[in-house]
Amino acid sequence: MFRMTVQDVFVIRGRGAVATGRVEYGELRVGDQVKINDGPTVRVDAIEALRKKIDTATSGDNVGLLFKALDKNDLAAGDVITSSGAFLA
């Protein structure tokens, strides 16, 4: 299970939308499927922390999650990103 509340969103031209925030709990890997506000699933295409690409994000990490399939209008500050089995409460 994974949960992160989005703090900011920006777009990298030619790459996709990036959601930044702190991992509240759980673990996430590049390639995992997540839901935004319990909507349809979307694949995590990259994870970065401190301007370095990493393969896994864990509780307490401040990260940016890259989504090639999304644009800035699909994400907003305050949105909740969860993996399967996570809850929104």
Side-chain angles (χ1 to χ4, degrees), residues 7-67:
Q7 293 175 345
D8 197 10
V9 178
F10 60 94
V11 172
I12 300 175
R13 191 173 307 197
R15 294 205 56 212
V18 177
T20 62
R22 176 174 282 211
V23 178
E24 296 168 29
Y25 62 79
E27 181 176 281
L28 186 70
R29 297 182 187 279
V30 173
D32 284 355
Q33 298 286 326
V34 295
K35 291 185 176 193
I36 300 165
N37 296 331
D38 208 26
T41 59
V42 63
R43 174 185 147 90
V44 176
D45 296 301
I47 303 171
E48 289 192 12
L50 301 173
R51 298 185 182 206
K52 293 182 182 180
K53 288 187 179 183
I54 58 175
D55 294 324
T56 305
T58 58
S59 295
D61 289 348
N62 288 309
V63 296
L65 305 178
L66 174 71
F67 301 99

